[in-house]
Amino acid sequence: MTLTPGKQKGLQQITNENNIIFATAMDQRGSLGKMIQSFDSSKDYTSSLSEFKEGVAKVLGNNSSSLLLDPEYGWNAAQQLTKDVGLIMAYEKTGYDATEKGRLPNLVDFYAIQDLTENGSSAVKLLIYYDHKEDEDINKIKDAFIKRVGDECKQNDILFILEPVSYSSKGLDAKSTEFAKEKPAIIEFFMEEFSKDKYGVDVLKVEVPVSIYNIEGYKVYDNYNPVFTKDEAQQHYKHCSDLSKIPFIYLSGGVTNEQFVETLHFAKEAGATFNGCLCGRAIWKDGIETYATQNWEDYLNWLNQQGLENLNKVKKAVAETASPIK
């Protein structure tokens, strides 16, 4: 792929020696704060978010090719990274206004992309909730929003990672059988539409079209709910992969470590040429209780033992399954 010097430098910073993105995601905010406080309600929301991220950066971030953080609680964590680990910064506010129709996006306060660039970011990530069957006016707002961020990234010559996240404008539950049937078409749309030049996106961070527990034959999982045969699921993976004109990576989407590793191997077998992953909760989620209920040393011990074990399982799977960015 041909990139401008700044974008090329950013891509080199967030990839490993094999030109594959093996990034850890640590930009969770609202959901993480609630999980920490569910174990200890006396924990200060702001300081505990910042502190938890510091631990993840120190141990897991420094064993990744790059780390995704947020500019609201992540700057102290960013200081923990060694110079050979790329820094990806989130640009969107966490969550969405549930009182408004359409899950409209909003950017973080206090930081423009110029500021993120000046503070050492290698790339900028924008998450946007999107259903291609949503009202046309809502999707026009979102399309323009993505283009603006794309233009801002071009202006500052920084790599732009777009994370379109599927949802149902009809109100279907994200874990429901009905939504699982519709999801491949939404991901197909993401791959084809957002890899068009007009959006200025350099890398797509996407969900897999079919969750591993929705594929026949994976009854080992507690949440097993077969919606597609193995052949059907493979076709969806391959078709989505073929539609993208730019590099793309998979997000873990809240599945378990075991499920995500299995997913990567399934994608490879299906012929999907994904270029790495951005994996978060599947690596560090089980450490939240240790952080919230025990001391700092216990938390670091968890990260250095179970956390690194989780990370290395995903790292091994990525090495075996992902395609280098050319």
Side-chain angles (χ1 to χ4, degrees), residues 312-325:
N312 287 328
K313 285 177 184 174
V314 177
K315 183 184 279 190
K316 181 174 182 286
V318 167
E320 293 169 348
T321 60
S323 300
I325 296 173

Side-chain angles (χ1 to χ4, degrees), residues 140-153:
K140 279 184 175 177
I141 291 170
K142 293 179 181 180
D143 292 346
F145 194 88
I146 297 167
K147 289 174 186 174
R148 287 181 194 134
V149 174
D151 284 345
E152 203 180 345
C153 286

Side-chain angles (χ1 to χ4, degrees), residues 90-278:
Y91 199 33
E92 80 285 343
K93 280 187 177 176
T94 187
Y96 53 88
D97 185 350
T99 63
E100 260 189 38
K101 180 176 169 56
R103 303 193 183 189
L104 292 171
N106 204 353
L107 298 179
V108 294
D109 297 326
F110 311 121
Y111 295 94
I113 284 177
Q114 180 182 346
D115 304 309
L116 301 182
T117 306
E118 288 174 355
N119 280 282
S121 301
S122 307
V124 169
K125 185 272 298 185
L126 175 71
L127 182 152
I128 194 155
Y129 291 96
Y130 206 103
D131 178 359
H132 63 305
K133 293 184 177 178
E134 179 62 272
D135 289 354
E136 187 179 358
D137 283 351
I138 286 173
N139 282 345
K140 279 184 175 177
I141 291 170
K142 293 179 181 180
D143 292 346
F145 194 88
I146 297 167
K147 289 174 186 174
R148 287 181 194 134
V149 174
D151 284 345
E152 203 180 345
C153 286
K154 283 178 187 171
Q155 181 69 28
N156 289 278
D157 200 12
I158 189 170
L159 200 74
F160 178 23
I161 302 172
L162 178 68
E163 179 183 3
V165 174
S166 64
Y167 75 98
S168 168
S169 55
K170 296 184 293 189
L172 297 177
D173 186 281
K175 302 291 185 187
S176 68
T177 299
E178 295 77 14
F179 186 63
K181 290 176 181 175
E182 294 192 4
K183 193 169 180 180
I186 303 177
I187 307 303
E188 284 174 19
F189 177 87
F190 291 168
M191 304 301 255
E192 185 168 29
E193 180 66 18
F194 297 127
S195 60
K196 292 177 179 174
D197 289 345
K198 64 182 179 180
Y199 295 101
V201 178
D202 302 303
V203 177
L204 280 169
K205 176 190 176 189
V206 292
E207 303 156 276
V208 294
V210 182
S211 296
I212 198 75
Y213 50 80
N214 289 140
I215 302 171
E216 284 183 6
Y218 290 91
K219 57 181 74 174
V220 64
Y221 300 123
D222 293 340
N223 53 352
Y224 179 58
N225 176 28
V227 177
F228 297 97
T229 66
K230 186 175 180 181
D231 283 348
E232 288 168 341
Q234 284 183 329
Q235 287 171 26
H236 286 308
Y237 273 73
K238 179 73 165 69
H239 185 49
C240 286
S241 174
D242 290 347
L243 285 172
S244 181
K245 303 176 198 71
I246 59 176
F248 71 95
I249 57 177
Y250 288 134
L251 56 92
S252 54
V255 300
T256 65
N257 189 270
E258 183 186 9
Q259 286 175 334
F260 190 56
V261 167
E262 188 87 67
T263 299
L264 296 178
H265 284 286
F266 185 88
K268 168 77 168 179
E269 189 182 336
T273 53
F274 63 100
N275 305 110
C277 73
L278 236 169

